[in-house]
Amino acid sequence: MDHQDAAARIRALAGDRPPRVGLILGSGLGELAEAIESSSDIGYSDLPGFPAPTVAGHEGRLRLGAWSGTPVACLQGRFHFYEGHDIQQLAVPIRALRSAGCETLILTCAAGSLQPEMGPGELMLVTDHINWSGISPLVGLNDDTIGPRFVDVSQAYDPTLQEIAQTAAKETGITLHEGVYVWCLGPNFETPAEIRAFRKLGADAVGMSTVPECLAAVHCGLRVMAIAVVTNLAAGMQMNLSHVETMTVGSAATPQLSALLGGVMKRLALDY
Ligand code: HPA
């Protein structure tokens, strides 16, 4: 599954200002794209190899433009393995961003919190993950021109980017929790017993995305930052979980996340 044709289209649209930072918007977080200036959009259907998103709240287009001076490529609409996509296809958009010029990838996602004191609407910087699904977009023949067969993920979430995020959080007066994200396949939410087990394993937040993209990104040499928006306490810690709640709480937290990412982009702009 090749990403080069999609990358060529992104490069053509970007002209003399290639994207340096890729950004993926999680459920309910689509409004973040409004912070991007001088933008031009391209639909996923015009990007060869990109799957079509099927989940409510995921637009299905890529936006190029500038955020606080940083040239970005923003994926408005993400792909989840539970939608039935081929796992290897989940790597295509990430590799296309890399080959179009991105050096950094910022992942955003909605998540359930395993920490009672980290409630709905709060932000968590992902410092590490647990791949509970046991699935990887890197299975299959390895293309050594993209990255190595065996990838070191002992610093999957770039420590320098974590510092930048915390500095931006302090400047904007936003509390940025830190913790471990566990990837569950979905599309069902977890059971209370699973959540109790994950807490024992050292997880702080649970979600259905982010990890496959992180793995594909580290493999192809992107620096990764991930921020989870807590949209609910995890199963067994609150009554009734729903995608509607994910969307509404995610959307309500968007201004805060937008301010934080604006601070991050301002710092990254100094490099470009
Ligand atoms: N579990 C999994 N994914 C999620 C959750 C959750 O509780 N909340 C938002 N995305």
Side-chain angles (χ1 to χ4, degrees), residues 81-105:
F81 187 52
Y82 66 71
E83 291 172 82
H85 304 301
D86 184 312
I87 189 68
Q88 290 164 345
Q89 205 181 0
L90 295 195
V92 170
I94 310 294
R95 290 174 180 163
L97 290 179
R98 175 73 177 126
S99 124
C102 291
E103 289 152 353
T104 299
L105 181 66

Side-chain angles (χ1 to χ4, degrees), residues 32-260:
L32 283 173
E34 286 166 21
I36 300 170
E37 289 157 10
S38 318
S39 59
S40 37
D41 293 345
I42 181 165
Y44 289 169
S45 53
D46 291 324
L47 292 169
F50 273 50
T54 66
V55 185
H58 288 267
E59 301 272 0
R61 64 172 174 247
L62 181 144
R63 174 164 290 182
L64 292 171
W67 190 340
S68 298
T70 293
V72 298
C74 173
L75 295 188
Q76 294 179 268
R78 74 145 37 96
F79 313 104
H80 308 82
F81 187 52
Y82 66 71
E83 291 172 82
H85 304 301
D86 184 312
I87 189 68
Q88 290 164 345
Q89 205 181 0
L90 295 195
V92 170
I94 310 294
R95 290 174 180 163
L97 290 179
R98 175 73 177 126
S99 124
C102 291
E103 289 152 353
T104 299
L105 181 66
I106 301 181
L107 302 167
T108 64
C109 63
S113 170
L114 278 66
Q115 304 290 355
E117 65 282 2
M118 184 169 73
E122 307 230 18
L123 306 181
M124 188 190 94
L125 181 66
V126 178
T127 56
D128 206 346
H129 72 228
I130 297 171
N131 184 354
W132 185 252
S133 300
I135 300 160
S136 169
L138 307 179
V139 294
L141 281 181
N142 188 60
D143 181 342
D144 295 334
T145 63
I146 298 174
R149 168 80 288 185
F150 300 103
V151 191
D152 180 3
V153 285
S154 51
Q155 292 199 318
Y157 301 89
D158 186 81
T160 307
L161 291 176
Q162 290 185 46
E163 275 173 39
I164 290 175
Q166 284 297 2
T167 307
K170 278 192 196 80
E171 262 183 24
T172 40
I174 290 167
T175 304
L176 184 57
H177 300 272
E178 294 191 350
V180 173
Y181 175 97
V182 56
W183 175 33
C184 285
L185 177 59
N188 54 283
F189 290 102
E190 302 69 36
T191 65
E194 285 166 345
I195 294 301
R196 285 195 298 276
F198 294 150
R199 202 176 296 116
K200 289 197 174 130
L201 290 178
D204 301 289
V206 59
M208 306 177 196
S209 65
T210 302
V211 169
E213 292 141 341
C214 171
L215 294 174
V218 174
H219 177 249
C220 68
L222 284 159
R223 304 190 300 169
V224 178
M225 171 195 286
I227 299 180
V229 175
V230 173
T231 55
N232 55 278
L233 294 176
M237 298 169 69
Q238 71 164 53
M239 297 299 289
N240 303 329
L241 304 176
S242 75
H243 188 59
V244 172
E245 182 185 37
T246 300
M247 298 289 291
T248 50
V249 179
S251 169
T254 300
Q256 224 192 4
L257 181 54
S258 184
L260 177 67

